[in-house]
Amino acid sequence: MPEEILVNVTPQETRVAVVESGILQELHIERGWRRGVVGNIYKGRVQRVMPGMQAAFVEVGLERAAFLHANDIYQSVPLEQRDEEVQLSQQAASASIMELLRDGEDIVVQVVKNPIGSKGARLTTQISIPSRYLVLLPQSRVIGISARIEDEEERKRLKTLVSELAEHQGGHGYIVRTNAEGQSAESLAEDLAYLGRAWNSIERRAKEMPSPARIYEDLSLPLKAVRDLIRKDVEKVKVDSYETYKHLQAFVSKYMPTLSERIELYAGDRPIFDLYGVEDEVGRALDKQVPLKSGGYLVIDQTEAMTTIDVNTGSFIGQRNLEETVFRTNLEAAQAVARQLRLRNLGGIIIIDFIDMDDPEHRRQVLRTLEKALARDHAKTTVYDFSPLGLVEMTRKRTVESLERQLSETCPECGGRGSVKTAETVTYEIFREITRAVHQFEAAELLVIASPKVVARITEEESSTVAELEESLKKSIRFQADEQYLQEQFDVVLL
């Protein structure tokens, strides 16, 4: 499917939208005051080692200390063993954190997950540096090929070529990215040379700079988008900022000159995100309910532990029978779910409650449709079969906050519950508090301050109750509406 990448730049924020066939698929946001740190490399200082958690907190200069688990600590291996494809995390897993780190020690680390909520950034010492076609693994000698390159002959060609080139660049390990498919030896050699220079600079800065310090910063969002998101089916990258356009042209001319003609300065009168209704789509991406063309809909609930997605037939009644209606709705929902996960950048554990299907073949086809739709996702996903309860469990790698968490904040009125107490409930709470206060303290008169809606209900619908309360307590009660009070807030003041 033809794709376009739209880059919208303002002094406050940069947004990158990936549009397929005129439909928004992904949105990436970077705000100058809160730029993401994934991929950055720091010289940090171990702040506290925690044997019970097999982890340590490391001070790297961010707002909160970052978290480093023992499994993410690289341990050097004898040179003769480094040619084997050994999982570095498995090497570290058997060692105690006390054997690997000590308080106050300097250490070079890379951020693999941005700070999310109250949690600090997640770190690793297993450094990786991406470029256009390759990812450098300076502590390994493994040559890996992206699973998305399916042609076996091309996989062999790339592995042989990169292995030969790597021998002349210090013998480091590399992952060959999907973008490398069909590329020439010259293009790959340029990438290796660039990565070699980057690593030499990192090593030099790690020796010279005091901790904590940032010794390598990943690219800005527009450059990162061009590096990571441009594929064969991306027709244009449209940018609405001349300065950013010049930066992109310079970057592309240096590292991927064949793509220069795809970078285009957008100078239209309409805002660039209005071209395909991107702004409207962003607004809808914050809604819990997602309509399907058939008349069905999804309900997406994001919680701290997981995201749940419920599929409903809605107004879709089908043409044949119930099973066929359910099957068609689930097929459409599977594709919609894959798109919403990318668009909303939902990660972690995801539970999908498809409508119950009796036919095993229908379940198999729905699962296959979901997996096929997820194949275009840049984030790693793992999908499991239907559970005995008819649920599909899956995971999606999370490195940054979801779109909702980036653009929204907890509702101050409901505190994130999604609902508030009714005016009736708050009214009865006020009556109970009045009785409690009179029995505890001496007062000639009471003043109740509450939201206008609650006060209106009390004075209009509960006036007789108030009169009875004043009679029984032998106290005068006044009510005052205050616009600053939320519906659940009130104060009983003794006068």
Side-chain angles (χ1 to χ4, degrees):
M1 289 183 286
E3 288 187 15
E4 287 189 20
I5 296 175
L6 310 178
V7 182
N8 169 233
V9 181
T10 66
Q12 296 78 28
E13 69 175 358
T14 300
R15 300 182 298 171
V16 173
V18 179
V19 177
E20 287 181 9
S21 302
I23 300 173
L24 178 64
Q25 300 292 333
E26 293 180 36
L27 181 69
H28 304 272
I29 299 174
E30 181 177 272
R31 289 173 174 162
W33 56 274
R34 202 178 72 184
R35 184 172 171 181
V37 293
V38 169
N40 288 359
I41 299 175
Y42 295 86
K43 182 179 181 181
R45 177 161 294 166
V46 178
Q47 197 175 63
R48 183 157 50 103
V49 177
M50 298 172 294
M53 295 177 64
Q54 278 294 286
F57 283 112
V58 181
E59 178 58 52
V60 295
L62 299 175
E63 187 177 335
R64 290 186 294 272
F67 183 82
L68 175 63
H69 194 272
N71 289 357
D72 295 318
I73 299 176
Y74 168 78
Q75 294 181 80
S76 60
V77 183
L79 187 61
E80 61 272 13
Q81 295 180 24
R82 290 176 64 192
D83 289 318
E84 302 173 7
E85 298 196 9
V86 180
Q87 290 292 328
L88 299 178
S89 60
Q90 291 179 359
Q91 299 167 19
S94 59
S96 164
I97 190 73
M98 299 298 289
E99 299 172 23
L100 301 172
L101 296 176
R102 64 180 184 276
D103 290 352
E105 177 183 358
D106 284 349
I107 185 171
V108 175
V109 290
Q110 185 169 33
V111 178
V112 292
K113 185 181 290 188
N114 276 322
I116 296 178
S118 60
K119 300 176 182 177
R122 180 76 181 255
L123 304 175
T124 182
T125 66
Q126 299 167 22
I127 307 299
S128 63
I129 307 170
S131 66
R132 172 64 179 159
Y133 304 120
L134 303 167
V135 178
L136 170 65
L137 307 174
Q139 298 141 327
S140 169
R141 291 186 65 124
V142 175
I143 306 295
I145 310 293
S146 167
R148 293 186 181 179
I149 301 176
E150 298 178 354
D151 183 89
E152 199 57 43
E153 287 301 315
E154 177 65 2
R155 293 177 66 84
K156 289 180 182 177
R157 181 187 79 88
L158 289 170
K159 185 157 190 174
T160 301
L161 185 55
V162 173
S163 298
E164 292 173 354
L165 292 170
E167 288 300 320
H168 303 290
Q169 289 286 342
H172 297 306
Y174 295 88
I175 295 172
V176 182
R177 306 181 70 176
T178 309
N179 289 333
E181 188 171 8
Q183 294 300 318
S184 66
E186 291 76 12
S187 298
L188 297 176
E190 287 177 4
D191 251 26
L192 259 79
Y194 161 74
L195 291 171
R197 290 193 298 272
W199 178 239
N200 290 338
S201 172
I202 290 168
E203 286 190 305
R204 185 180 67 254
R205 289 168 66 86
K207 291 176 183 176
E208 297 172 354
M209 298 187 71
S211 61
R214 184 179 64 208
I215 56 178
Y216 171 83
E217 184 175 22
D218 203 5
L219 300 175
S220 64
L221 180 59
L223 299 181
K224 196 185 301 182
V226 169
R227 182 191 71 192
D228 296 341
L229 301 179
I230 282 192
R231 297 180 293 201
K232 292 178 181 177
D233 42 8
V234 174
E235 295 180 343
K236 291 288 182 184
V237 177
K238 295 181 179 178
V239 192
D240 65 0
S241 160
Y242 181 66
E243 186 176 347
T244 303
Y245 167 74
K246 288 193 297 182
H247 286 318
L248 286 177
Q249 281 288 7
F251 179 78
V252 168
S253 298
K254 184 174 182 180
Y255 296 111
M256 43 191 106
T258 57
L259 301 178
S260 292
E261 59 185 25
R262 300 195 200 179
I263 311 298
E264 184 179 286
L265 178 64
Y266 175 74
D269 294 331
R270 295 174 62 199
I272 191 169
F273 270 25
D274 286 358
L275 286 178
Y276 301 109
V278 172
E279 295 288 12
D280 293 337
E281 283 290 339
V282 173
R284 285 193 285 269
L286 300 178
D287 293 339
K288 286 179 61 173
Q289 191 164 306
V290 180
L292 303 176
K293 289 181 180 178
S294 64
Y297 60 92
L298 310 178
V299 177
I300 301 176
D301 277 305
Q302 184 182 351
T303 68
E304 191 70 25
M306 68 182 70
T307 297
T308 61
I309 303 177
D310 187 33
V311 183
N312 298 278
T313 55
S315 61
F316 183 47
I317 57 175
Q319 309 246 330
R320 300 181 185 175
N321 54 49
L322 178 60
E323 178 68 19
E324 188 67 20
T325 299
V326 167
F327 175 52
R328 294 298 172 194
T329 303
N330 282 339
L331 282 178
E332 184 185 0
Q335 295 180 345
V337 165
R339 174 176 175 255
Q340 290 298 322
L341 294 181
R342 287 176 66 187
L343 176 56
R344 298 172 185 240
N345 200 19
L346 297 171
I349 299 171
I350 297 155
I351 308 294
I352 309 169
D353 185 9
F354 287 106
I355 308 167
D356 291 339
M357 294 173 287
D358 295 328
D359 190 338
E361 177 59 21
H362 283 174
R363 288 198 294 271
R364 190 181 67 81
Q365 288 190 43
V366 166
L367 205 61
R368 190 170 60 186
T369 300
L370 176 62
E371 291 170 338
K372 186 177 179 182
L374 288 168
R376 299 182 66 81
D377 198 335
H378 298 284
K380 182 183 178 183
T381 57
T382 305
V383 181
Y384 299 92
D385 205 348
F386 279 87
S387 73
L389 293 176
L391 305 174
V392 171
E393 300 171 11
M394 65 168 289
T395 60
R396 184 175 185 270
K397 186 176 180 182
R398 172 168 54 194
T399 56
V400 297
E401 297 264 25
S402 69
L403 188 65
E404 179 186 347
R405 299 259 166 90
Q406 290 184 68
L407 300 181
S408 308
E409 64 182 7
T410 302
C411 168
E413 186 146 348
C414 73
R417 298 199 313 268
S419 61
V420 294
K421 295 176 183 177
T422 64
E424 182 182 30
T425 301
V426 178
T427 296
Y428 300 150
E429 286 184 356
I430 289 174
F431 291 161
R432 288 193 294 272
E433 183 61 27
I434 289 172
T435 304
R436 187 181 301 115
V438 168
H439 288 154
Q440 278 188 302
F441 307 101
E442 287 294 329
E445 186 181 2
L446 290 92
L447 172 65
V448 176
I449 308 170
S451 71
K453 185 176 180 180
V454 171
V455 171
R457 189 187 187 283
I458 292 174
T459 55
E460 292 171 13
E461 299 180 34
E462 301 287 350
S463 56
S464 60
T465 307
V466 173
E468 292 173 5
L469 197 59
E470 288 180 322
E471 178 66 26
S472 67
L473 297 175
K474 304 291 192 265
K475 306 290 181 185
S476 174
I477 306 172
R478 290 192 293 115
F479 295 90
Q480 178 180 316
D482 191 324
E483 293 282 354
Q484 301 300 314
Y485 278 61
L486 302 176
Q487 185 158 305
E488 295 186 0
Q489 291 180 319
F490 64 86
D491 282 309
V492 176
V493 182
L494 304 174
L495 301 174

